[in-house]
Amino acid sequence: MSWYAIGAVDRAISRTREALLEPFDFWKWVKLAIIIFLLGGVSSYGNTSNYNIGSEDLKNNFPYIEPGQMPDLPFDHSIAFGYIYQVPQMATVAALIIFLILLVLIFSYISSIMEFVFVESLVRNEVKFWAYSRKFLGKGFRLLLVRLAIWLVFLALFGISLLPLIPLIREVPSDFSLPASLGGILWVVGVIILLILLALAIDSLLSLAIPLAIYRNKGILSAFKLVLGNFRKSWREVMVYWFVRLLLDIGITILAIFLFVLVVLVLGLAFLIFDVALYLLFSSLLSDFLLWLLLIPFIVIELILVMGTLFFLGVPLSVFLKYHLLSFLEAWYENAEIPFFDAPALEPEFKVDEPEPSF
């Protein structure tokens, strides 16, 4: 018996080679690297400022107070002033948290759009970044909502799983005892592992639903239901697919680490020699401040080149994994209707000319 996941490996290799090397297109690789990068995320920070009130703002609205004395107040002034000083800090923290949440949501939305853009680019073997991004704004937003809902459900499940531990926590003595808490620790670890495995399975099925949402013109939930329906009929194929994907992920990770070390050693050594030569050349002519002012732009450019090279060399790895998913889906789901660029063209049907009737 031939398993679809195993047969998809050869097709993924063939499609990766044809898409990236036949012919080689540098800018196509760059655009794919940008798409792959946008499947990740970033973080940022914020700050605030305070306004200090001077004596000219108060004028003569308050009674005269001797220097060094505090007037009698009808409340505990230490608590009041402590609360006043805490309010701006709490507002700053709340604003920072809201800002970070919004930033994460924005980049999660971009990442969701890129899921569809990446699939469409590989299926068509044509990268149209802006056209595809505009095309999948709606589907990307719905995918984001589905993933947020799944995340909230898993968070609720984790919270519910902790409820049996509440009596145990109350009974734990003040001096922490490991044997007394070992059962609770094992329970939490087991729940976390179970939820992670379940989340990985759902995310894998959701990834299979994305191409169906595109080419069957379905909503992401409707496409997910189609995948679940096919999973019930041929779950063994999916289990083999997950096992093959695990092996591929391990191999890809090892290869990625090797490429990372190789790039860092080669480019890092070359840039280090260049920086040392530049330092020795200008050390006798410039002060330390001016010398570092000269070197910092070169160091920033070198770091960008190293990261760009890593993303560039990682393109075939990500493309291969996505082609493996698409090739498996093509074979596993009979009516996937994925219009691959290498699909054989249908031969036109020829009809025998019939003699025209004579009147």
Side-chain angles (χ1 to χ4, degrees), residues 256-316:
I257 294 174
F258 172 76
L259 289 175
F260 175 80
V261 173
L262 182 64
V263 169
V264 170
L265 287 178
V266 174
L267 290 182
L269 183 60
F271 290 148
L272 179 62
I273 294 173
F274 174 79
D275 293 339
V276 170
L278 200 64
Y279 178 85
L280 295 176
L281 181 62
F282 290 97
S283 59
S284 59
L285 302 176
L286 302 173
S287 64
D288 290 342
F289 176 76
L290 292 177
L291 185 59
W292 281 108
L293 201 62
L294 174 67
L295 288 176
I296 286 176
F298 286 98
I299 295 174
V300 172
I301 293 173
E302 289 164 0
L303 290 175
I304 293 174
L305 288 175
V306 170
M307 295 302 297
T309 303
L310 289 173
F311 272 105
F312 192 83
L313 294 179
V315 166

Side-chain angles (χ1 to χ4, degrees), residues 34-173:
I34 294 173
I35 292 172
I36 294 167
F37 170 75
L38 291 176
L39 289 171
V42 298
S43 62
S44 186
Y45 64 93
N47 52 40
T48 59
S49 59
N50 296 323
Y51 171 67
N52 296 321
I53 300 178
S55 59
E56 63 277 6
D57 298 315
L58 301 178
K59 296 183 180 180
N60 295 321
N61 295 328
F62 291 95
Y64 176 75
I65 302 172
E66 290 291 339
Q69 293 183 355
M70 174 64 69
D72 294 333
L73 298 175
F75 50 81
D76 190 344
H77 63 272
S78 61
I79 297 176
F81 283 113
Y83 177 76
I84 291 173
Y85 286 127
Q86 288 177 4
V87 167
Q89 297 175 1
M90 294 169 60
T92 301
V93 173
L96 179 59
I97 292 174
I98 293 173
F99 174 74
L100 291 176
I101 291 174
L102 289 176
L103 200 62
V104 169
L105 288 176
I106 290 171
F107 280 93
S108 298
Y109 179 41
I110 294 173
S111 175
S112 299
I113 296 172
M114 290 302 110
E115 293 275 8
F116 293 92
V117 172
F118 195 32
V119 169
E120 182 79 340
S121 299
L122 297 186
V123 168
R124 305 290 183 182
N125 192 22
E126 189 176 16
V127 186
K128 296 180 179 179
F129 183 85
W130 294 113
Y132 293 162
S133 297
R134 289 191 297 267
K135 179 180 178 181
F136 297 118
L137 288 175
K139 289 186 180 295
F141 182 70
R142 287 187 285 273
L143 177 61
L144 172 64
L145 294 180
V146 169
R147 283 181 166 165
L148 286 176
I150 292 173
W151 184 83
L152 291 175
V153 169
F154 273 87
L155 189 62
L157 290 175
F158 180 71
I160 294 172
S161 69
L162 297 181
L163 294 178
L165 298 180
I166 294 178
L168 181 63
I169 294 174
R170 291 179 177 177
E171 295 175 1
V172 172

Side-chain angles (χ1 to χ4, degrees), residues 5 8-9 12 241 245 248 320-328:
V9 174
Y241 167 73
R245 292 289 292 194
L248 291 176
F320 166 75
L321 288 176
K322 185 59 71 174
Y323 269 133
H324 180 261
L325 180 150
L326 293 169
S327 300
F328 167 76

